[in-house]
């Protein structure tokens, strides 16, 4: 295993300390228990947004804490949901009287830990709270008979849009409803060229031959739909966009937000090339690319690969997307 | 329960988890995200670190505290599930349990808490494949039969191999989850064996 | 070779097309010959900044075209300096009457191609022009007897600071002098955990064993000072910072800008961990970290690894660093 | 010079570069950045594409146009260097060269342009290790001796192996550049051989 680390036991702490120091103008880090919150605190009367989950997906979620997006993020160990004490402490720190919205990716671990935190918070506080579950990953078929779809890169879009709404004064119920609409309007499909390696495991999560890819891979290296032979970017993007559009995805005439997301080990040059392919394919389908985002936003450690997300957007969502944001990983308008 | 017994239980479960952490992670790499051994190690490290404080408590409270320790240190799916198991067992445990029936009842309450927390039942290729039959076997037993307990756990574990997962991370795999043991079932079996070891005075 | 591409011959064109489409609010792409310029053009009377060089270092340089930084960038083929016709056409397009400053990384190919372009431009135009050569890479020892040091990640800092000065109205001579001062104040050292793979070559540029790193690697996969055994991040950062500070680097009491730059295949989690190590080491040396930047800014295709840059900064440079910038890869204050 | 001769020169140099592109890239991977074969291929592809237009021109202008084509298509170090070589040769070539002396003089002018553009001289482990001795050999020759030309080029190439590079990308390697042939010297030798092939009517 080749990683820029000291010992496998300190990866999260040291990385988080570096993150906090590099962005001390935007965030502050609380250590026992671990959570990241806005340096300036949450404005009184604003709905507080909290997300979190396993680490290894950087910049998700701590990189999205700041004006116009999250109020706090609770980083768990690598690929392991954070624990309820983190969420509880974060909620106490950022609740500004308008309630707390938990944004949770749909994994059993995340769901259960956030549920426990919400129960505990409910027992201790009068304040309102609500949860948005994200499950944008279209790779999981038959989702009715399982845990359901996974929450992946679409979560970033939910956090941005709901973050802007909260900043604009939307109340808790409105934020929750909006988050659920953004999630429902989003579909993501991922592909891996190489496995990721969990530091403490010390070896790749799965093996791929030199001529193989994993189509529909999860952001924890969970196996996907099927193992396929290496494909050209155009064919790859076509299969991914087909999978997104298939069920309830965007149709001709729909304006969409197109996110091409790197998995951590893929250079920007390739991501822009995939974006080029995705854009052409969307246009062939009659979709209008209203906004674009290309880069590493929801990663899987050192995995090479990418995901494509399409979110059907209307004017309201676009307005929130364009609203000012000032976080470590997304910044505009300020 | 004697503090020494509680400490022995903590020591033995910790030992067993440490010894099998890599195996659990390997199993989780095959159909999950490769952290189950690491998660269990973190949780049982935390319990071991709190062993003195836990061992002072009455049996039920000790279980609750151990469960809460898991919840607050493990994360992932296994943290809330094993945490709920122990916390619910603790709540259901009489102050001085004096029969297999007491323990069976408490264990049953724990397993139900797992099902509630996980929104799951038997046959979904999870730790419940071990926990449920062990609960039944305890309930049905007149006296404690360690050999039967061990066999029940092993059989439950083995049964996960040919199952298709419908809960937990492995469920995303659909058909491809078939042919692998479930990591959580393996850790459950290990823990049952560890408890049996202590009862047998090993 | 595993890459998200179609054919090796179209990597640059397709990636550049994607880049242009994803950032059409910031840049426009000219195709024959290839260069990227600001969407709005260059304001009359502003010194025009042009950079360029081989591709494969994304976001360098096209990702730094925009308000407060470059006016144009000329992307060459992968790892191959761009050609004089590109620079010439770019200069013609962005010269706004106050002259053109070429910012060139010190490689023989880049230097010669820019020289030819400058000669041709000089023959055709009255306008003034000047060049800043960047050579911040301290890995090359004995630089007096060779081509000299290489220009690497410090180039980003030169482009940002001189870009802000040009935006503020500095004239050509001032911009050139400032650029040379920033370059002289900057030192960079890089390390590779894995080789990069040039698409057209189809195989890794060099081989590293599972337990080896290349210390002092170049951003084209040029071999470095020496091959070493895998090190912990702290030891690695210590050796890199020692190399930077050794000759003419920052001393106790100096305020510095600290850039931890990913090589393309390294996840953000590891970069922040290296930043944490670098920060501690700088503080031990009595350096004051005035500003920080962590991310992929000057990459080497899919290479795993990182570089550390330290730039001694005074108030003037800090003012320019903090000035608004609106490019694809760096954005703040707007 | 006959258009057909110019076309034959273009065809043969193109062929040879295509056939050895991978070898050139391999050499450049060892002590450079692994693109020399790709660069040369791009340049000679461009010349071949313009062959008709180039072949119509008088010898000197044809060389200039071929050189400019390299400059505008290759990039890297080799583009300006080979470009300068051909452009300066073209400028120095009489309208109708009719002696080895004419060619020797033009070639000498080309090599000097390389040295000026590259700020380099012999002994630095570059293409000049081939170009310089070939220039000398041409100058000294009464009549054209193809065999000598080929040997001179090969010997120059071979001499780069034990040299330490002090110019170009390989110079960053210091001592570690020793033991490898220089890719630019190899492409120069290939081009000399290609020209010899045409002269010999191959
Ligand atoms: N809903 C559930 N009900 C019961 N057990 C579950 C459920 N979800 C997961 N598990 C168990 O948890 C195990 C995985 O634990 P672990 O790897 O620590 O967490 P994670 O899946 O979050 O990485 C699975 O092997 C399974 O036995
Ligand atoms: N300053 C120089 N003078 C003469 N030849 C040089 C000089 N720099 C580089 N070369 C030649 O160019 C060759 C490398 O060409 P190429 O790989 O195409 O360009 P780059 O080094 O820019 O990638 C070297 O092998 C060497 O022969
Ligand atoms: Mg996990
Ligand atoms: Mg797991
Ligand atoms: Mg090159
Ligand atoms: Mg080269």
């Amino acid at each position: 295993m080749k990683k820029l680390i000291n010992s496998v036991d300190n990866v999260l702490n040291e990385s988080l300390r570096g993150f906090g120091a590099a962005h001390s103008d935007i965030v502050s880090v609380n250590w026992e228990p671990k959570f990241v919150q806005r340096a300036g605190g949450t404005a009184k009367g604003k709905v507080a947004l909290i997300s979190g989950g396993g680490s290894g997906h950087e910049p998700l979620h701590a990189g999205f804490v700041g004006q116009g997006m999250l109020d706090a993020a609770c980083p768990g160990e690598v690929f392991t949901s954070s624990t309820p004490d983190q969420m509880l402490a974060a909620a106490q720190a950022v609740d500004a009287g308008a309630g707390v919205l938990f944004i949770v990716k749909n994994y059993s671990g995340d769901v259960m830990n956030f549920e426990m935190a919400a129960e505990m918070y409910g027992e201790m506080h009068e304040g309102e709270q609500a949860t948005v579950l994200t499950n944008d990953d279209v790779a999981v078929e038959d989702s009715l008979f399982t845990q359901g779809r996974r929450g992946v890169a679409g979560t970033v879009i939910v956090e941005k849009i709901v973050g802007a709404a909260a900043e604009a004064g939307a109340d808790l119920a409105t934020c929750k409803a909006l988050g659920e609409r953004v999630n429902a309007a989003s579909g993501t499909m991922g592909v891996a060229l190489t496995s990721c390696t969990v530091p403490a495991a010390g070896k790749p999560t799965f093996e791929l031959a030199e001529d193989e890819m994993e189509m529909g891979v999860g952001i924890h290296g969970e196996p996907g739909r099927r193992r396929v032979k290496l494909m050209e970017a155009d064919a790859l993007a076509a299969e991914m966009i087909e999978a997104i559009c298939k069920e309830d995805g965007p149709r001709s005439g729909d304006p969409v937000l197109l996110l091409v997301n790197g998995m951590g080990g893929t250079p920007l040059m390739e991501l822009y090339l995939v974006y080029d392919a995705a854009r052409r394919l969307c246009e062939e389908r009659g979709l209008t690319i209203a906004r674009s985002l290309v880069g590493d936003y929801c990663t899987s450690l050192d995995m090479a690969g990418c995901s494509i997300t399409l979110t059907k957007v209307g004017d309201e969502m676009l307005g929130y997307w364009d609203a000012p944001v000032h976080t470590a990983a997304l910044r505009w308008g300020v | 329960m004697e503090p020494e017994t509680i400490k022995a239980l903590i020591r033995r479960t910790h030992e067993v988890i440490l010894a099998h952490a890599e195996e659990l992670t390997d199993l989780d790499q095959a159909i999950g995200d490769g952290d189950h051994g690491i998660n269990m190690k973190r949780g049982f490290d935390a319990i071991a670190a709190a062993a003195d404080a836990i061992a002072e408590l009455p049996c039920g409270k000790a279980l609750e505290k151990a469960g809460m320790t898991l919840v607050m240190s493990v994360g992932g799916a296994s943290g809330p599930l094993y945490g709920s198991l122990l916390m619910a067992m603790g709540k259901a445990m009489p102050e001085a349990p004096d029969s297999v029936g007491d323990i069976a009842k408490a264990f049953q309450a724990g397993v139900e808490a797992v099902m509630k927390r996980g929104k799951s039942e038997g046959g979904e290729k999870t730790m419940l494949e071990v926990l449920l039959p062990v609960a039944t076997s305890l309930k049905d037993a007149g006296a404690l039969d360690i050999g039967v307990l061990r066999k029940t756990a092993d059989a439950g574990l083995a049964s996960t191999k040919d199952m298709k997962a419908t809960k937990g991370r492995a469920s995303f795999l659909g058909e491809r989850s078939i042919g692998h043991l479930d990591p959580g079932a393996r850790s459950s079996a290990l823990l049952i064996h560890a408890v049996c070891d202590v009862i047998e005075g090993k």
Side-chain angles (χ1 to χ4, degrees), chain A, chain B:
Chain A
M1 175 180 61
K2 283 189 161 177
K3 288 187 186 289
L4 296 166
I5 60 173
N6 287 303
S7 96
V8 293
D9 295 328
N10 297 332
V11 173
L12 174 56
N13 281 345
E14 291 177 13
S15 178
L16 189 60
R17 191 168 57 192
F19 174 82
H23 302 292
S24 58
D25 53 330
I26 303 178
V27 299
S28 70
V29 180
N30 189 79
W31 285 102
E32 303 260 345
K34 274 190 267 283
F35 64 87
V36 173
Q37 67 174 318
R38 295 191 189 187
T42 299
K44 217 175 137 53
K46 189 188 93 64
V47 170
L49 265 53
I50 301 182
S51 190
S55 294
H57 309 301
E58 291 67 27
L60 196 81
H61 296 276
F64 302 124
V65 171
Q67 187 194 331
M69 234 167 142
L70 300 178
D71 293 277
C74 307
E77 291 296 323
V78 173
F79 288 178
T80 302
S81 165
S82 32
T83 49
D85 51 333
Q86 296 175 262
M87 299 148 189
L88 204 59
Q92 283 164 333
V94 301
D95 190 338
V100 175
L101 182 66
F102 295 107
I103 300 179
V104 183
K105 302 192 293 305
N106 187 37
Y107 297 94
S108 36
D110 294 72
V111 170
M112 289 188 277
N113 282 286
F114 268 100
E115 247 172 41
M116 292 192 93
E119 287 164 18
M120 293 174 192
Y121 196 62
E123 281 163 23
M124 295 162 59
H125 291 264
E126 292 291 288
E128 284 182 295
Q129 45 160 310
T131 300
V132 172
L133 268 192
T134 64
N135 63 350
D136 54 307
D137 190 346
V138 302
V140 181
E141 296 165 303
D142 299 333
S143 54
L144 290 180
F145 308 103
T146 67
Q147 203 65 46
R149 295 162 156 201
R150 301 173 288 213
V152 286
T155 311
V156 177
I157 298 168
V158 172
E159 291 176 0
K160 170 67 184 84
I161 289 178
V162 179
E167 211 77 47
D171 67 14
L172 184 59
T174 308
C175 287
K176 176 179 160 77
L178 177 62
E180 284 169 351
R181 272 191 292 132
V182 177
N183 175 63
S186 300
T188 299
M189 178 82 175
V191 67
L193 299 185
T194 66
S195 172
C196 49
T197 298
V198 174
K203 56 183 193 296
T205 301
F206 56 93
E207 295 292 340
L208 276 177
E210 213 10 72
D211 64 343
E212 285 178 340
M213 306 187 312
E214 183 74 24
M215 179 61 85
V217 74
I219 57 169
H220 308 86
E222 302 101 323
R225 287 190 173 191
R226 56 204 179 87
R227 193 141 299 183
V228 296
K229 290 286 160 195
L230 267 190
M231 283 188 219
E232 292 185 352
D234 281 359
L236 193 75
E239 178 161 345
M240 293 164 84
I241 287 173
E242 170 67 28
I244 297 167
C245 292
K246 202 172 161 192
E247 278 164 57
D248 201 26
R251 297 268 168 279
S252 182
D254 284 342
V256 295
L257 193 159
L258 166 57
L259 163 59
V260 173
N261 170 61
M263 290 295 197
T266 302
L268 208 45
M269 188 178 206
E270 294 176 37
L271 293 182
Y272 279 119
L273 195 148
V274 172
Y275 173 83
D276 178 59
R279 180 175 191 94
R280 276 184 277 114
L281 291 157
C282 285
E283 282 167 359
E284 279 168 25
R285 286 176 176 266
L287 309 181
T288 308
I289 314 241
R291 296 294 182 278
S292 301
L293 190 65
V294 181
D296 282 8
Y297 294 102
C298 173
T299 61
S300 181
L301 293 171
D302 51 353
M303 182 188 284
C306 71
S307 67
I308 295 177
T309 303
L310 291 178
T311 304
K312 259 186 283 185
V313 283
D315 289 343
E316 182 200 14
M317 288 187 197
L318 281 180
Y320 286 136
W321 179 258
D322 292 340
V325 59
H326 184 177
T327 68
L330 272 192
R331 182 163 178 182
W332 56 70
V334 267
Chain B
M1 207 179 276
E2 292 301 301
E4 278 318 307
T5 314
I6 295 179
K7 279 196 190 165
L9 283 165
I10 291 176
R11 207 177 307 120
R12 185 64 192 148
T13 48
H14 189 211
E15 264 171 24
V16 167
I17 291 297
L18 288 190
H20 292 82
E22 214 178 308
E23 177 195 343
L24 293 173
T25 289
D26 285 348
L27 290 173
D28 200 31
Q29 282 198 324
I31 55 170
D33 59 350
D35 62 356
H36 189 54
I38 307 162
N39 290 346
M40 294 300 285
K41 176 176 178 308
R42 192 168 52 250
F44 283 83
D45 281 350
I47 290 181
D52 289 342
I54 294 174
E56 275 176 8
L57 300 171
C59 174
K61 293 283 169 212
L63 278 164
E64 282 190 63
K65 190 173 165 73
M68 192 48 107
T69 304
L70 289 182
V71 168
M72 296 313 196
S73 63
V74 174
S78 48
L81 292 171
Y82 280 121
S84 299
L85 177 79
L86 298 192
M87 290 193 298
M89 270 184 79
K91 283 214 184 77
M93 192 71 83
E95 196 133 318
D98 63 358
S99 69
V100 181
D102 282 349
I103 291 174
K105 244 186 249 160
F107 193 76
Q108 179 67 26
V111 176
E112 275 162 20
V114 170
M115 296 171 73
K116 195 167 159 221
R117 179 59 65 203
K119 301 190 181 60
S120 47
E121 50 192 38
E124 301 200 282
K125 192 177 181 118
T126 69
M127 55 176 71
L128 287 169
E129 266 47 76
V130 170
L131 300 178
L132 279 170
V134 167
T136 309
S137 148
L138 274 174
K139 203 164 50 185
D140 297 348
L144 201 59
D145 184 332
I146 295 295
V148 168
L149 264 191
R150 290 187 190 270
K151 268 189 207 137
T152 308
D154 289 345
L157 168 61
S159 77
T160 64
K161 183 145 192 184
D162 296 330
M163 283 184 184
K164 178 170 140 184
T166 55
K167 281 283 148 59
R169 217 176 277 280
S171 69
F172 302 133
L173 277 176
E175 301 290 334
R176 287 171 71 184
S177 66
I178 296 172
H180 301 273
L181 289 178
D182 176 63
R186 178 64 178 134
S187 59
S188 285
L190 285 170
L191 292 171
I192 301 285
H193 280 292
V195 172
C196 291
D197 292 345
V198 175
I199 299 174
E200 286 182 332
K202 278 192 197 161

